[in-house]
Amino acid sequence: MPVPVSRAAGHHQRGAGAAGFLLASIPILTLGLGGVEAAHWSGLRQTLSLALMEAARAGATRQARPQAIAQAFEHGLRMAYPDPRAAARALRERRAALGAPWRIRIARPSPEAFLDHADPALRGPRDHPGQPLIRNDYQALQQARRLAQGWPEGRGPRSGLTIHEANTLVLELWWPHRPLVPGTAAIVRALAPLAGNPDQARLMAAGYLPFRRRVSVAMQSHPAAWTDLADGRVTRGAAPAPAPAPAPASAPGSAVPGGDAEDVGNPPAAETAPADEAAADGDVNGDGPGPEACAPAP
């Protein structure tokens, strides 16, 4: 004989089943949302690397000019934000919350590299007459001269870099990412005091995950010591020490510490010093769009 079940007991059983399903579904939904967030992180990191490489290529052909680097990077963000309005909105939100929507630090050439390797006799595009330039061509000859000066391995005493490393553009990106999953931003803010880096702690305190990317490319033009962008998007970090007396033109410079050998393009071994400075320097166009305008003189 079937046992009769009261209506109240039936409602109680159905309520218990719903509660059990809810408890079981919470970790499953959490794992699912975490997977979506992780997949988004992976794609975004790849996109940021491509945009940073685009910025580095623009800087390599434009004397490491910060404005050219910033424009190329934000143009590269179209891969992450195909809709220009979405890209403008994302940058606007980050600017309102953080001041600078992102930050690129020019790790090389560093300010110390210009103290070691700037060529005062080099003529090329400048913002002002005293702006230091590092010669991009005849690097093998410059390295030989530094060795003859007694610099160990041709490394500058202030920067610790060779001329090849000083002619390598290294960019480091800090990109603030707002998590997609609701509630993750609160967790990020709670973990901000544990961050070891002040920049990282500042981004996390605002609810953003700090993504860092780094890229290096060989310079295709004479690097120039530009000032930082006023809005903080592209900076060089610490200010350089007071410049010493200009070195003679016959002893061109060295480079920035910690160069990546795979990124250095050594010039031909048969290089000789230019007989005519104007002819040697006329190959660099600080405002030129491409590497063909910045190729070394024959």
Side-chain angles (χ1 to χ4, degrees):
M1 295 290 295
V3 179
V5 179
S6 66
R7 182 174 300 179
H11 284 305
H12 176 73
Q13 291 177 357
R14 285 195 295 272
F21 173 78
L22 180 60
L23 291 175
S25 64
I26 288 176
I28 297 175
L29 290 174
T30 302
L31 290 175
L33 292 174
V36 171
E37 187 76 62
H40 180 65
W41 291 358
S42 178
L44 180 61
R45 288 166 67 91
Q46 182 67 20
T47 300
L48 292 176
S49 295
L50 294 174
L52 186 60
M53 177 58 73
E54 189 170 325
R57 287 170 177 164
T61 59
R62 300 286 295 276
Q63 297 182 281
R65 187 188 294 267
Q67 188 61 43
I69 291 172
Q71 289 177 352
F73 176 75
E74 292 195 348
H75 183 261
L77 290 177
R78 69 191 185 280
M79 294 176 282
Y81 301 97
D83 183 0
R85 292 172 298 180
R89 183 169 58 252
L91 294 177
R92 187 167 57 249
E93 291 174 354
R94 286 162 174 77
R95 188 176 286 108
L98 304 170
W102 47 267
R103 188 168 71 88
I104 289 178
R105 186 176 78 91
I106 302 177
R108 292 193 210 160
S110 65
E112 293 77 15
F114 288 94
L115 299 180
D116 286 334
H117 299 292
D119 188 346
L122 181 61
R123 285 180 286 180
R126 284 180 165 92
D127 270 352
H128 54 84
Q131 185 177 13
L133 297 180
I134 296 176
R135 181 179 288 279
N136 179 253
D137 51 7
Y138 302 99
Q139 293 182 31
L141 180 60
Q142 293 185 68
Q143 177 72 358
R145 286 174 175 170
R146 289 313 189 202
L147 292 172
Q149 286 181 254
W151 289 10
E153 300 180 357
R155 298 185 177 277
R158 299 175 183 84
S159 63
L161 303 174
T162 66
I163 186 62
H164 305 305
E165 294 166 349
N167 274 284
T168 302
L169 180 63
V170 178
L171 302 180
E172 296 177 348
L173 168 69
W174 282 86
W175 173 263
H177 168 64
R178 182 180 291 279
L180 297 178
V181 177
T184 307
I187 298 176
V188 171
R189 283 192 290 268
L191 296 176
L194 303 179
N197 185 288
D199 290 331
Q200 182 177 356
R202 181 176 62 89
L203 295 180
M204 294 178 67
Y208 289 89
L209 284 170
F211 280 12
R212 296 186 63 182
R213 312 306 293 163
R214 179 184 172 98
V215 70
S216 60
V217 297
M219 288 294 299
Q220 303 296 320
S221 57
H222 301 320
W226 307 99
T227 56
D228 297 347
L229 291 185
D231 58 8
R233 289 178 299 165
V234 181
T235 64
R236 288 188 176 273
S250 59
S254 116
V256 196
D260 299 326
E262 65 271 18
D263 294 323
V264 175
N266 294 333
E271 288 176 322
T272 56
D276 183 357
E277 284 290 337
D281 301 335
D283 54 357
V284 176
N285 179 1
D287 297 321
E292 65 277 358
C294 306

